[in-house]
Amino acid sequence: MSERKGTGMKLKRAGAKAAAVAAGVRAGRAAAGTRTGWTARRVLVAEAAVVGGLVLTMLVRELPGIRREVRIWRMINLRSGARRPR
């Protein structure tokens, strides 16, 4: 049997890496000290994106009603200042 040179070392490293992943160790760091990957900034950006999307959706859905209201305000001449006596 002829074995290629260096193959055994690669297999050992691959086995150690698989065992580390199974144990919860990532990239040579201890499992207790690792981060979950979600930093506070990423969470805030995600929340801002969700809130922005909801606000945009509500604005688009309410746009016909807003236009209707503006037309009514223009018809009754709703502006700041003194009103005409009736």
mmCIF file of all heavy atoms in Angstrom, residues 27-76:
data_model
loop_
_atom_site.group_PDB
_atom_site.id
_atom_site.type_symbol
_atom_site.label_atom_id
_atom_site.label_comp_id
_atom_site.label_asym_id
_atom_site.label_seq_id
_atom_site.Cartn_x
_atom_site.Cartn_y
_atom_site.Cartn_z
ATOM 1 N N ALA A 27 -13.118 28.209 15.586
ATOM 2 C CA ALA A 27 -11.894 28.919 15.200
ATOM 3 C C ALA A 27 -10.908 29.016 16.352
ATOM 4 O O ALA A 27 -10.276 30.039 16.555
ATOM 5 C CB ALA A 27 -12.234 30.293 14.650
ATOM 6 N N GLY A 28 -10.776 27.978 17.130
ATOM 7 C CA GLY A 28 -9.777 27.942 18.186
ATOM 8 C C GLY A 28 -10.163 28.680 19.450
ATOM 9 O O GLY A 28 -9.355 28.802 20.356
ATOM 10 N N ARG A 29 -11.368 29.202 19.550
ATOM 11 C CA ARG A 29 -11.795 29.898 20.759
ATOM 12 C C ARG A 29 -12.617 28.966 21.626
ATOM 13 O O ARG A 29 -13.278 28.065 21.138
ATOM 14 C CB ARG A 29 -12.647 31.112 20.399
ATOM 15 C CG ARG A 29 -11.821 32.212 19.790
ATOM 16 C CD ARG A 29 -12.659 33.420 19.573
ATOM 17 N NE ARG A 29 -13.253 33.317 18.244
ATOM 18 C CZ ARG A 29 -14.194 34.119 17.800
ATOM 19 N NH1 ARG A 29 -14.683 35.048 18.562
ATOM 20 N NH2 ARG A 29 -14.672 33.992 16.596
ATOM 21 N N ALA A 30 -12.621 29.241 22.898
ATOM 22 C CA ALA A 30 -13.395 28.425 23.826
ATOM 23 C C ALA A 30 -14.880 28.695 23.637
ATOM 24 O O ALA A 30 -15.292 29.794 23.281
ATOM 25 C CB ALA A 30 -12.993 28.739 25.267
ATOM 26 N N ALA A 31 -15.695 27.700 23.899
ATOM 27 C CA ALA A 31 -17.139 27.821 23.690
ATOM 28 C C ALA A 31 -17.751 28.864 24.618
ATOM 29 O O ALA A 31 -18.672 29.561 24.248
ATOM 30 C CB ALA A 31 -17.814 26.471 23.902
ATOM 31 N N ALA A 32 -17.257 28.981 25.836
ATOM 32 C CA ALA A 32 -17.839 29.916 26.791
ATOM 33 C C ALA A 32 -17.554 31.360 26.409
ATOM 34 O O ALA A 32 -18.342 32.248 26.694
ATOM 35 C CB ALA A 32 -17.306 29.639 28.190
ATOM 36 N N GLY A 33 -16.449 31.622 25.723
ATOM 37 C CA GLY A 33 -16.068 32.987 25.398
ATOM 38 C C GLY A 33 -16.474 33.428 24.007
ATOM 39 O O GLY A 33 -16.208 34.559 23.631
ATOM 40 N N THR A 34 -17.101 32.584 23.246
ATOM 41 C CA THR A 34 -17.434 32.965 21.875
ATOM 42 C C THR A 34 -18.685 33.820 21.840
ATOM 43 O O THR A 34 -19.550 33.742 22.705
ATOM 44 C CB THR A 34 -17.664 31.728 20.981
ATOM 45 O OG1 THR A 34 -18.716 30.947 21.545
ATOM 46 C CG2 THR A 34 -16.415 30.914 20.858
ATOM 47 N N ARG A 35 -18.780 34.629 20.807
ATOM 48 C CA ARG A 35 -19.972 35.451 20.602
ATOM 49 C C ARG A 35 -20.971 34.675 19.765
ATOM 50 O O ARG A 35 -20.620 33.771 19.043
ATOM 51 C CB ARG A 35 -19.608 36.742 19.882
ATOM 52 C CG ARG A 35 -18.751 37.652 20.709
ATOM 53 C CD ARG A 35 -18.432 38.879 19.884
ATOM 54 N NE ARG A 35 -17.568 39.758 20.630
ATOM 55 C CZ ARG A 35 -17.950 40.958 21.031
ATOM 56 N NH1 ARG A 35 -19.143 41.399 20.771
ATOM 57 N NH2 ARG A 35 -17.117 41.719 21.694
ATOM 58 N N THR A 36 -22.197 35.082 19.843
ATOM 59 C CA THR A 36 -23.225 34.389 19.072
ATOM 60 C C THR A 36 -23.259 34.871 17.635
ATOM 61 O O THR A 36 -23.918 34.272 16.811
ATOM 62 C CB THR A 36 -24.611 34.608 19.704
ATOM 63 O OG1 THR A 36 -24.889 36.012 19.703
ATOM 64 C CG2 THR A 36 -24.659 34.044 21.101
ATOM 65 N N GLY A 37 -22.580 35.967 17.322
ATOM 66 C CA GLY A 37 -22.574 36.484 15.967
ATOM 67 C C GLY A 37 -23.486 37.677 15.790
ATOM 68 O O GLY A 37 -23.397 38.378 14.806
ATOM 69 N N TRP A 38 -24.385 37.931 16.716
ATOM 70 C CA TRP A 38 -25.294 39.071 16.633
ATOM 71 C C TRP A 38 -24.818 40.141 17.599
ATOM 72 O O TRP A 38 -25.047 40.064 18.795
ATOM 73 C CB TRP A 38 -26.718 38.665 16.984
ATOM 74 C CG TRP A 38 -27.388 37.978 15.862
ATOM 75 C CD1 TRP A 38 -27.495 36.644 15.676
ATOM 76 C CD2 TRP A 38 -28.017 38.591 14.746
ATOM 77 N NE1 TRP A 38 -28.153 36.383 14.523
ATOM 78 C CE2 TRP A 38 -28.495 37.555 13.929
ATOM 79 C CE3 TRP A 38 -28.223 39.900 14.364
ATOM 80 C CZ2 TRP A 38 -29.161 37.811 12.747
ATOM 81 C CZ3 TRP A 38 -28.885 40.145 13.196
ATOM 82 C CH2 TRP A 38 -29.352 39.110 12.398
ATOM 83 N N THR A 39 -24.162 41.153 17.070
ATOM 84 C CA THR A 39 -23.738 42.261 17.919
ATOM 85 C C THR A 39 -24.904 43.226 18.083
ATOM 86 O O THR A 39 -25.894 43.156 17.350
ATOM 87 C CB THR A 39 -22.539 42.995 17.290
ATOM 88 O OG1 THR A 39 -22.945 43.529 16.029
ATOM 89 C CG2 THR A 39 -21.367 42.057 17.091
ATOM 90 N N ALA A 40 -24.775 44.118 19.025
ATOM 91 C CA ALA A 40 -25.853 45.080 19.293
ATOM 92 C C ALA A 40 -26.107 45.959 18.075
ATOM 93 O O ALA A 40 -27.258 46.283 17.758
ATOM 94 C CB ALA A 40 -25.492 45.943 20.500
ATOM 95 N N ARG A 41 -25.053 46.321 17.377
ATOM 96 C CA ARG A 41 -25.230 47.175 16.201
ATOM 97 C C ARG A 41 -26.020 46.456 15.121
ATOM 98 O O ARG A 41 -26.895 47.040 14.475
ATOM 99 C CB ARG A 41 -23.878 47.600 15.657
ATOM 100 C CG ARG A 41 -23.979 48.499 14.444
ATOM 101 C CD ARG A 41 -22.662 49.005 14.020
ATOM 102 N NE ARG A 41 -22.177 49.913 15.058
ATOM 103 C CZ ARG A 41 -21.087 50.639 14.945
ATOM 104 N NH1 ARG A 41 -20.371 50.567 13.872
ATOM 105 N NH2 ARG A 41 -20.712 51.429 15.912
ATOM 106 N N ARG A 42 -25.720 45.187 14.899
ATOM 107 C CA ARG A 42 -26.444 44.420 13.884
ATOM 108 C C ARG A 42 -27.912 44.263 14.248
ATOM 109 O O ARG A 42 -28.791 44.327 13.395
ATOM 110 C CB ARG A 42 -25.794 43.056 13.693
ATOM 111 C CG ARG A 42 -24.466 43.139 12.975
ATOM 112 C CD ARG A 42 -23.798 41.815 12.872
ATOM 113 N NE ARG A 42 -24.515 40.948 11.952
ATOM 114 C CZ ARG A 42 -24.198 39.694 11.731
ATOM 115 N NH1 ARG A 42 -23.172 39.155 12.348
ATOM 116 N NH2 ARG A 42 -24.894 38.970 10.895
ATOM 117 N N VAL A 43 -28.187 44.084 15.529
ATOM 118 C CA VAL A 43 -29.574 43.974 15.981
ATOM 119 C C VAL A 43 -30.307 45.292 15.756
ATOM 120 O O VAL A 43 -31.441 45.313 15.269
ATOM 121 C CB VAL A 43 -29.644 43.551 17.466
ATOM 122 C CG1 VAL A 43 -31.049 43.664 18.000
ATOM 123 C CG2 VAL A 43 -29.120 42.138 17.632
ATOM 124 N N LEU A 44 -29.655 46.407 16.085
ATOM 125 C CA LEU A 44 -30.288 47.717 15.889
ATOM 126 C C LEU A 44 -30.538 47.996 14.411
ATOM 127 O O LEU A 44 -31.587 48.540 14.046
ATOM 128 C CB LEU A 44 -29.414 48.816 16.488
ATOM 129 C CG LEU A 44 -29.434 48.907 18.009
ATOM 130 C CD1 LEU A 44 -28.427 49.943 18.486
ATOM 131 C CD2 LEU A 44 -30.814 49.260 18.506
ATOM 132 N N VAL A 45 -29.594 47.636 13.565
ATOM 133 C CA VAL A 45 -29.782 47.847 12.129
ATOM 134 C C VAL A 45 -30.939 46.998 11.621
ATOM 135 O O VAL A 45 -31.772 47.464 10.826
ATOM 136 C CB VAL A 45 -28.474 47.537 11.367
ATOM 137 C CG1 VAL A 45 -28.714 47.454 9.872
ATOM 138 C CG2 VAL A 45 -27.428 48.584 11.673
ATOM 139 N N ALA A 46 -31.033 45.760 12.098
ATOM 140 C CA ALA A 46 -32.139 44.891 11.678
ATOM 141 C C ALA A 46 -33.476 45.441 12.156
ATOM 142 O O ALA A 46 -34.457 45.448 11.401
ATOM 143 C CB ALA A 46 -31.919 43.475 12.215
ATOM 144 N N GLU A 47 -33.518 45.917 13.388
ATOM 145 C CA GLU A 47 -34.760 46.500 13.912
ATOM 146 C C GLU A 47 -35.146 47.758 13.141
ATOM 147 O O GLU A 47 -36.327 47.960 12.828
ATOM 148 C CB GLU A 47 -34.609 46.838 15.394
ATOM 149 C CG GLU A 47 -34.595 45.626 16.291
ATOM 150 C CD GLU A 47 -34.374 45.991 17.743
ATOM 151 O OE1 GLU A 47 -34.095 47.173 18.034
ATOM 152 O OE2 GLU A 47 -34.483 45.089 18.586
ATOM 153 N N ALA A 48 -34.166 48.595 12.820
ATOM 154 C CA ALA A 48 -34.445 49.813 12.053
ATOM 155 C C ALA A 48 -34.975 49.459 10.664
ATOM 156 O O ALA A 48 -35.888 50.127 10.155
ATOM 157 C CB ALA A 48 -33.185 50.668 11.938
ATOM 158 N N ALA A 49 -34.442 48.424 10.063
ATOM 159 C CA ALA A 49 -34.919 48.002 8.743
ATOM 160 C C ALA A 49 -36.360 47.511 8.816
ATOM 161 O O ALA A 49 -37.182 47.827 7.949
ATOM 162 C CB ALA A 49 -34.013 46.909 8.184
ATOM 163 N N VAL A 50 -36.681 46.761 9.858
ATOM 164 C CA VAL A 50 -38.048 46.260 10.015
ATOM 165 C C VAL A 50 -39.021 47.414 10.254
ATOM 166 O O VAL A 50 -40.081 47.493 9.620
ATOM 167 C CB VAL A 50 -38.123 45.225 11.171
ATOM 168 C CG1 VAL A 50 -39.561 44.907 11.522
ATOM 169 C CG2 VAL A 50 -37.378 43.965 10.786
ATOM 170 N N VAL A 51 -38.661 48.330 11.148
ATOM 171 C CA VAL A 51 -39.537 49.471 11.444
ATOM 172 C C VAL A 51 -39.694 50.353 10.212
ATOM 173 O O VAL A 51 -40.805 50.799 9.892
ATOM 174 C CB VAL A 51 -38.984 50.275 12.649
ATOM 175 C CG1 VAL A 51 -39.718 51.594 12.809
ATOM 176 C CG2 VAL A 51 -39.099 49.447 13.921
ATOM 177 N N GLY A 52 -38.603 50.597 9.498
ATOM 178 C CA GLY A 52 -38.677 51.394 8.274
ATOM 179 C C GLY A 52 -39.569 50.752 7.229
ATOM 180 O O GLY A 52 -40.351 51.434 6.558
ATOM 181 N N GLY A 53 -39.472 49.446 7.098
ATOM 182 C CA GLY A 53 -40.329 48.740 6.151
ATOM 183 C C GLY A 53 -41.796 48.828 6.531
ATOM 184 O O GLY A 53 -42.664 49.014 5.664
ATOM 185 N N LEU A 54 -42.076 48.714 7.818
ATOM 186 C CA LEU A 54 -43.466 48.824 8.266
ATOM 187 C C LEU A 54 -44.028 50.224 8.047
ATOM 188 O O LEU A 54 -45.171 50.382 7.610
ATOM 189 C CB LEU A 54 -43.572 48.448 9.745
ATOM 190 C CG LEU A 54 -43.384 46.969 10.074
ATOM 191 C CD1 LEU A 54 -43.356 46.759 11.587
ATOM 192 C CD2 LEU A 54 -44.503 46.155 9.461
ATOM 193 N N VAL A 55 -43.232 51.241 8.341
ATOM 194 C CA VAL A 55 -43.678 52.626 8.139
ATOM 195 C C VAL A 55 -43.925 52.886 6.657
ATOM 196 O O VAL A 55 -44.941 53.493 6.282
ATOM 197 C CB VAL A 55 -42.641 53.618 8.715
ATOM 198 C CG1 VAL A 55 -42.912 55.035 8.255
ATOM 199 C CG2 VAL A 55 -42.629 53.542 10.231
ATOM 200 N N LEU A 56 -43.027 52.424 5.811
ATOM 201 C CA LEU A 56 -43.197 52.607 4.368
ATOM 202 C C LEU A 56 -44.440 51.887 3.864
ATOM 203 O O LEU A 56 -45.215 52.432 3.064
ATOM 204 C CB LEU A 56 -41.962 52.106 3.632
ATOM 205 C CG LEU A 56 -41.922 52.339 2.134
ATOM 206 C CD1 LEU A 56 -41.929 53.834 1.847
ATOM 207 C CD2 LEU A 56 -40.707 51.679 1.532
ATOM 208 N N THR A 57 -44.684 50.680 4.370
ATOM 209 C CA THR A 57 -45.877 49.929 3.971
ATOM 210 C C THR A 57 -47.147 50.655 4.393
ATOM 211 O O THR A 57 -48.098 50.763 3.606
ATOM 212 C CB THR A 57 -45.843 48.521 4.594
ATOM 213 O OG1 THR A 57 -44.651 47.857 4.173
ATOM 214 C CG2 THR A 57 -47.041 47.709 4.200
ATOM 215 N N MET A 58 -47.165 51.158 5.623
ATOM 216 C CA MET A 58 -48.351 51.885 6.088
ATOM 217 C C MET A 58 -48.576 53.160 5.281
ATOM 218 O O MET A 58 -49.712 53.501 4.944
ATOM 219 C CB MET A 58 -48.214 52.223 7.576
ATOM 220 C CG MET A 58 -48.381 51.030 8.477
ATOM 221 S SD MET A 58 -48.224 51.451 10.218
ATOM 222 C CE MET A 58 -49.552 52.600 10.421
ATOM 223 N N LEU A 59 -47.499 53.867 4.957
ATOM 224 C CA LEU A 59 -47.627 55.091 4.171
ATOM 225 C C LEU A 59 -48.195 54.795 2.794
ATOM 226 O O LEU A 59 -49.096 55.498 2.320
ATOM 227 C CB LEU A 59 -46.269 55.774 4.044
ATOM 228 C CG LEU A 59 -46.254 57.080 3.255
ATOM 229 C CD1 LEU A 59 -47.022 58.151 4.017
ATOM 230 C CD2 LEU A 59 -44.836 57.519 2.998
ATOM 231 N N VAL A 60 -47.706 53.749 2.157
ATOM 232 C CA VAL A 60 -48.200 53.399 0.823
ATOM 233 C C VAL A 60 -49.664 52.985 0.881
ATOM 234 O O VAL A 60 -50.460 53.359 0.019
ATOM 235 C CB VAL A 60 -47.323 52.283 0.208
ATOM 236 C CG1 VAL A 60 -47.959 51.668 -1.014
ATOM 237 C CG2 VAL A 60 -45.943 52.828 -0.128
ATOM 238 N N ARG A 61 -50.039 52.255 1.919
ATOM 239 C CA ARG A 61 -51.435 51.818 2.034
ATOM 240 C C ARG A 61 -52.376 52.970 2.351
ATOM 241 O O ARG A 61 -53.529 52.971 1.947
ATOM 242 C CB ARG A 61 -51.567 50.745 3.113
ATOM 243 C CG ARG A 61 -50.948 49.425 2.681
ATOM 244 C CD ARG A 61 -51.232 48.359 3.654
ATOM 245 N NE ARG A 61 -52.660 48.038 3.615
ATOM 246 C CZ ARG A 61 -53.227 47.092 4.314
ATOM 247 N NH1 ARG A 61 -52.509 46.366 5.116
ATOM 248 N NH2 ARG A 61 -54.511 46.859 4.216
ATOM 249 N N GLU A 62 -51.902 53.961 3.087
ATOM 250 C CA GLU A 62 -52.743 55.083 3.491
ATOM 251 C C GLU A 62 -52.683 56.258 2.520
ATOM 252 O O GLU A 62 -53.406 57.235 2.701
ATOM 253 C CB GLU A 62 -52.341 55.569 4.887
ATOM 254 C CG GLU A 62 -52.594 54.562 5.979
ATOM 255 C CD GLU A 62 -54.085 54.294 6.168
ATOM 256 O OE1 GLU A 62 -54.889 55.234 6.018
ATOM 257 O OE2 GLU A 62 -54.428 53.142 6.467
ATOM 258 N N LEU A 63 -51.857 56.196 1.507
ATOM 259 C CA LEU A 63 -51.682 57.318 0.593
ATOM 260 C C LEU A 63 -52.986 57.761 -0.092
ATOM 261 O O LEU A 63 -53.245 58.968 -0.147
ATOM 262 C CB LEU A 63 -50.610 56.976 -0.444
ATOM 263 C CG LEU A 63 -49.993 58.145 -1.187
ATOM 264 C CD1 LEU A 63 -49.374 59.115 -0.205
ATOM 265 C CD2 LEU A 63 -48.956 57.645 -2.167
ATOM 266 N N PRO A 64 -53.832 56.865 -0.584
ATOM 267 C CA PRO A 64 -55.086 57.338 -1.191
ATOM 268 C C PRO A 64 -55.972 58.110 -0.204
ATOM 269 O O PRO A 64 -56.565 59.136 -0.559
ATOM 270 C CB PRO A 64 -55.779 56.049 -1.637
ATOM 271 C CG PRO A 64 -54.697 55.067 -1.796
ATOM 272 C CD PRO A 64 -53.674 55.426 -0.767
ATOM 273 N N GLY A 65 -56.035 57.667 1.038
ATOM 274 C CA GLY A 65 -56.828 58.370 2.044
ATOM 275 C C GLY A 65 -56.244 59.725 2.391
ATOM 276 O O GLY A 65 -56.975 60.701 2.596
ATOM 277 N N ILE A 66 -54.921 59.804 2.434
ATOM 278 C CA ILE A 66 -54.268 61.085 2.725
ATOM 279 C C ILE A 66 -54.547 62.072 1.606
ATOM 280 O O ILE A 66 -54.859 63.243 1.854
ATOM 281 C CB ILE A 66 -52.747 60.870 2.918
ATOM 282 C CG1 ILE A 66 -52.485 60.056 4.183
ATOM 283 C CG2 ILE A 66 -52.016 62.206 2.977
ATOM 284 C CD1 ILE A 66 -51.055 59.602 4.345
ATOM 285 N N ARG A 67 -54.474 61.621 0.359
ATOM 286 C CA ARG A 67 -54.766 62.499 -0.772
ATOM 287 C C ARG A 67 -56.209 62.985 -0.721
ATOM 288 O O ARG A 67 -56.500 64.160 -1.011
ATOM 289 C CB ARG A 67 -54.486 61.772 -2.086
ATOM 290 C CG ARG A 67 -53.000 61.612 -2.319
ATOM 291 C CD ARG A 67 -52.632 60.728 -3.475
ATOM 292 N NE ARG A 67 -53.332 61.050 -4.697
ATOM 293 C CZ ARG A 67 -53.431 60.210 -5.718
ATOM 294 N NH1 ARG A 67 -52.899 59.010 -5.635
ATOM 295 N NH2 ARG A 67 -54.061 60.555 -6.811
ATOM 296 N N ARG A 68 -57.121 62.110 -0.360
ATOM 297 C CA ARG A 68 -58.529 62.482 -0.246
ATOM 298 C C ARG A 68 -58.714 63.551 0.825
ATOM 299 O O ARG A 68 -59.441 64.533 0.636
ATOM 300 C CB ARG A 68 -59.350 61.236 0.082
ATOM 301 C CG ARG A 68 -60.826 61.405 -0.080
ATOM 302 C CD ARG A 68 -61.571 60.100 0.161
ATOM 303 N NE ARG A 68 -61.008 58.974 -0.582
ATOM 304 C CZ ARG A 68 -60.492 57.871 -0.022
ATOM 305 N NH1 ARG A 68 -60.485 57.731 1.280
ATOM 306 N NH2 ARG A 68 -60.006 56.902 -0.773
ATOM 307 N N GLU A 69 -58.065 63.371 1.959
ATOM 308 C CA GLU A 69 -58.164 64.356 3.048
ATOM 309 C C GLU A 69 -57.611 65.709 2.617
ATOM 310 O O GLU A 69 -58.185 66.752 2.945
ATOM 311 C CB GLU A 69 -57.406 63.854 4.276
ATOM 312 C CG GLU A 69 -58.046 62.678 4.974
ATOM 313 C CD GLU A 69 -59.322 63.060 5.693
ATOM 314 O OE1 GLU A 69 -59.440 64.221 6.135
ATOM 315 O OE2 GLU A 69 -60.195 62.195 5.808
ATOM 316 N N VAL A 70 -56.495 65.706 1.909
ATOM 317 C CA VAL A 70 -55.905 66.974 1.472
ATOM 318 C C VAL A 70 -56.858 67.695 0.522
ATOM 319 O O VAL A 70 -57.022 68.918 0.605
ATOM 320 C CB VAL A 70 -54.528 66.728 0.806
ATOM 321 C CG1 VAL A 70 -54.029 67.970 0.092
ATOM 322 C CG2 VAL A 70 -53.521 66.279 1.845
ATOM 323 N N ARG A 71 -57.528 66.948 -0.348
ATOM 324 C CA ARG A 71 -58.505 67.565 -1.259
ATOM 325 C C ARG A 71 -59.655 68.200 -0.477
ATOM 326 O O ARG A 71 -60.114 69.303 -0.796
ATOM 327 C CB ARG A 71 -59.051 66.527 -2.240
ATOM 328 C CG ARG A 71 -58.236 66.477 -3.493
ATOM 329 C CD ARG A 71 -59.037 65.880 -4.632
ATOM 330 N NE ARG A 71 -58.588 64.513 -4.826
ATOM 331 C CZ ARG A 71 -59.379 63.473 -5.058
ATOM 332 N NH1 ARG A 71 -60.675 63.613 -5.109
ATOM 333 N NH2 ARG A 71 -58.875 62.285 -5.244
ATOM 334 N N ILE A 72 -60.134 67.509 0.554
ATOM 335 C CA ILE A 72 -61.218 68.046 1.377
ATOM 336 C C ILE A 72 -60.758 69.315 2.081
ATOM 337 O O ILE A 72 -61.484 70.320 2.137
ATOM 338 C CB ILE A 72 -61.711 66.987 2.382
ATOM 339 C CG1 ILE A 72 -62.414 65.844 1.642
ATOM 340 C CG2 ILE A 72 -62.626 67.613 3.424
ATOM 341 C CD1 ILE A 72 -62.715 64.654 2.515
ATOM 342 N N TRP A 73 -59.539 69.302 2.628
ATOM 343 C CA TRP A 73 -59.022 70.492 3.305
ATOM 344 C C TRP A 73 -58.938 71.658 2.342
ATOM 345 O O TRP A 73 -59.206 72.803 2.707
ATOM 346 C CB TRP A 73 -57.654 70.222 3.905
ATOM 347 C CG TRP A 73 -57.672 69.243 5.042
ATOM 348 C CD1 TRP A 73 -58.729 68.882 5.800
ATOM 349 C CD2 TRP A 73 -56.559 68.505 5.524
ATOM 350 N NE1 TRP A 73 -58.354 67.949 6.733
ATOM 351 C CE2 TRP A 73 -57.015 67.699 6.593
ATOM 352 C CE3 TRP A 73 -55.216 68.426 5.165
ATOM 353 C CZ2 TRP A 73 -56.186 66.852 7.298
ATOM 354 C CZ3 TRP A 73 -54.387 67.586 5.873
ATOM 355 C CH2 TRP A 73 -54.873 66.806 6.930
ATOM 356 N N ARG A 74 -58.555 71.405 1.105
ATOM 357 C CA ARG A 74 -58.471 72.485 0.121
ATOM 358 C C ARG A 74 -59.853 73.017 -0.228
ATOM 359 O O ARG A 74 -60.025 74.226 -0.444
ATOM 360 C CB ARG A 74 -57.778 71.998 -1.148
ATOM 361 C CG ARG A 74 -56.290 71.858 -0.996
ATOM 362 C CD ARG A 74 -55.666 71.445 -2.303
ATOM 363 N NE ARG A 74 -54.238 71.249 -2.150
ATOM 364 C CZ ARG A 74 -53.494 70.616 -3.031
ATOM 365 N NH1 ARG A 74 -54.046 70.114 -4.125
ATOM 366 N NH2 ARG A 74 -52.207 70.478 -2.828
ATOM 367 N N MET A 75 -60.822 72.122 -0.309
ATOM 368 C CA MET A 75 -62.177 72.564 -0.646
ATOM 369 C C MET A 75 -62.760 73.475 0.427
ATOM 370 O O MET A 75 -63.443 74.450 0.115
ATOM 371 C CB MET A 75 -63.110 71.358 -0.849
ATOM 372 C CG MET A 75 -62.920 70.708 -2.176
ATOM 373 S SD MET A 75 -64.058 69.370 -2.580
ATOM 374 C CE MET A 75 -64.929 68.998 -1.120
ATOM 375 N N ILE A 76 -62.513 73.183 1.691
ATOM 376 C CA ILE A 76 -63.083 74.023 2.751
ATOM 377 C C ILE A 76 -62.133 75.144 3.136
ATOM 378 O O ILE A 76 -62.384 75.874 4.080
ATOM 379 C CB ILE A 76 -63.453 73.187 3.996
ATOM 380 C CG1 ILE A 76 -62.220 72.548 4.640
ATOM 381 C CG2 ILE A 76 -64.488 72.149 3.644
ATOM 382 C CD1 ILE A 76 -62.487 71.935 5.982
#
